[in-house]
Structures are given as C-alpha cells and as structure tokens.
Amino acid sequence: MKPIASIALLLCLVSFSAMAEESPKVLPQPAAEPPKILQPAPEPLKTAEPPKLAEPSQAQQPVKIGYVDLSKIATDSAPGKAASAKMKEKTEKYRSQIAARQKKLENMKKDIEAKLPSLTPQQRQAKVKELEKKVGEYQKYVQDAEKAMRKTEGELTESMSKAIQKAADDYGKANGFAVIVPKRDLLYLGDKVDVKDVTDDILKSIR
C-alpha cells in the first residue's frame, strides 16, 4: 500500500471515531409507572348524637279493680236460687227417708225387747242379728245419702262458679278492669288503685 493512501485511511478512521464520541448518548428512560387506581374518598366521620333525655312520663292511670260479694250472688242470682232450691229439695227428701227408717228401727227394737222374755235363746239371738242387719242397712243408707248430697252440692257449686267466671270475664274486658276478685280477698289497696263493687253488675249478666 502506498503511504499516502495509508495516511488517508488512518485519518478517516480517526474522524469516524471522533464523530462517534461526539454523538449524544441515549440515556435509558425510567420504566413507566402503572396507572393508579382511584380510591374512593373517605366518608366524613359521623359524630355520635348525644343521648336524648327521657321526657317526664305522664301521670300513671290508676289500676281498675272490681270485687264481688259471692254470698249475695249465690242468694240473689237466678242460678244461685235454682241451686239452693234443688239442694233444699234433695235434703228434705233424704231427711224424710232417714227419719222413716229410723222410726222403723226403733219400733223393731221395742218389739224385740217386749218379746224377749218369751223367746228361747236361739230366737233371741236370731232377733238380735236381724236388728243388727237393719241397723247396718240404715247406716249405709245415711252414708250414701251424705255422699249423694256432697256430689250434688259440688256439681251445683262448679256450675255456679263457671257462670260467675264467665260474667266477670265479659264485664271486666268490656269495662277495662285489670282484675275482678271476691270481696273477701281485698286485704290492702294502695293509692293508685280504682276499686269498684261490681256485684250488682255481675248479677245482671249471670244467666
């Protein structure tokens, strides 16, 4: 190679290298940030409301309580009168029959006592046994009569109680009573109680 050509080639290489050094360097760009998700704005804090003061309550209404005289209802009401009449009728019937049986026993006893002197020991023993049998029958009849009377009285009392209960329920609900009780159960009543004797009103509604 000729020296002139070598020098020219060397100058070209030097010039190309200088241009490369002078060219601006491209700096790396930072990575793009991901898009931010919008967050909802926080709600304003709610302040607690101060407790409300209780308003003064209105004057309490008195409690309505009614009471009934059961003795008066038993004697003056239609069911009470009917029950009393039935008990009287049965009592007189049993009393009459018991009296007749008792009279018969007394006569039988007198007859045996009058005949004792003339009777043999065997006859006396037979008469005594006969009298004892009649006395046992008499006692059993009296016991049965008492049981029958107690049963009748219980049935009439239950029927009367149901009639009073229904009348008291209907009257109490219709007139705003808190309770209706027998008069004998009223031992103490406070100031805030409205008490009323409803015996006559219950009597009108009992059927």
Side-chain angles (χ1 to χ4, degrees):
M1 181 181 293
K2 294 180 179 182
I4 295 174
S6 298
I7 294 171
L9 178 61
L10 180 61
L11 289 174
C12 289
L13 291 174
V14 172
S15 176
F16 180 79
S17 176
M19 290 177 61
E21 291 177 357
E22 291 177 0
S23 62
K25 297 181 179 179
V26 179
L27 298 177
Q29 297 295 328
E33 295 183 359
K36 295 182 179 180
I37 300 175
L38 296 178
Q39 299 292 333
E43 296 182 359
L45 296 177
K46 295 182 179 180
T47 57
E49 296 182 359
K52 294 181 179 180
L53 297 177
E55 297 180 358
S57 58
Q58 297 179 352
Q60 185 178 3
Q61 295 296 326
V63 178
K64 292 182 68 175
I65 295 179
Y67 67 88
V68 294
D69 186 345
L70 295 180
S71 299
K72 185 176 182 180
I73 291 180
T75 56
D76 295 353
S77 66
K81 292 178 180 179
S84 178
K86 187 172 183 178
M87 284 294 296
K88 183 178 180 181
E89 179 184 358
K90 296 197 74 170
T91 300
E92 291 178 351
K93 175 185 175 182
Y94 283 121
R95 185 178 296 169
S96 175
Q97 293 177 352
I98 290 172
R101 288 171 180 261
Q102 185 175 3
K103 185 68 175 178
K104 189 175 181 179
L105 281 176
E106 291 174 354
N107 291 336
M108 184 178 181
K109 180 181 177 183
K110 289 179 181 179
D111 183 63
I112 292 174
E113 289 175 347
K115 293 178 179 180
L116 277 179
S118 61
L119 297 176
T120 64
Q122 293 80 5
Q123 290 175 334
R124 291 179 183 179
Q125 187 176 5
K127 288 294 183 180
V128 171
K129 287 184 178 180
E130 184 181 357
L131 180 60
E132 289 177 349
K133 180 182 178 181
K134 293 297 182 181
V135 171
E137 292 175 353
Y138 167 79
Q139 292 176 342
K140 185 177 184 304
Y141 181 81
V142 172
Q143 294 174 355
D144 292 343
E146 291 176 350
K147 289 180 181 179
M149 289 299 298
R150 286 196 297 268
K151 181 180 179 181
T152 301
E153 184 179 12
E155 292 172 350
L156 293 175
T157 300
E158 182 179 2
S159 177
M160 187 70 188
S161 298
K162 288 181 178 179
I164 295 174
Q165 181 67 54
K166 185 179 185 307
D169 287 346
D170 294 342
Y171 181 83
K173 292 176 182 178
N175 294 275
F177 281 87
V179 64
I180 296 178
V181 298
K183 183 179 180 180
R184 63 174 179 267
D185 293 341
L186 293 176
L187 299 179
Y188 168 77
L189 295 171
D191 297 334
K192 297 180 180 181
V193 177
D194 181 13
V195 185
K196 179 182 178 182
D197 184 354
V198 297
T199 303
D200 293 336
D201 296 325
I202 298 298
L203 274 173
K204 295 176 183 177
S205 58
I206 290 181
R207 295 183 292 274

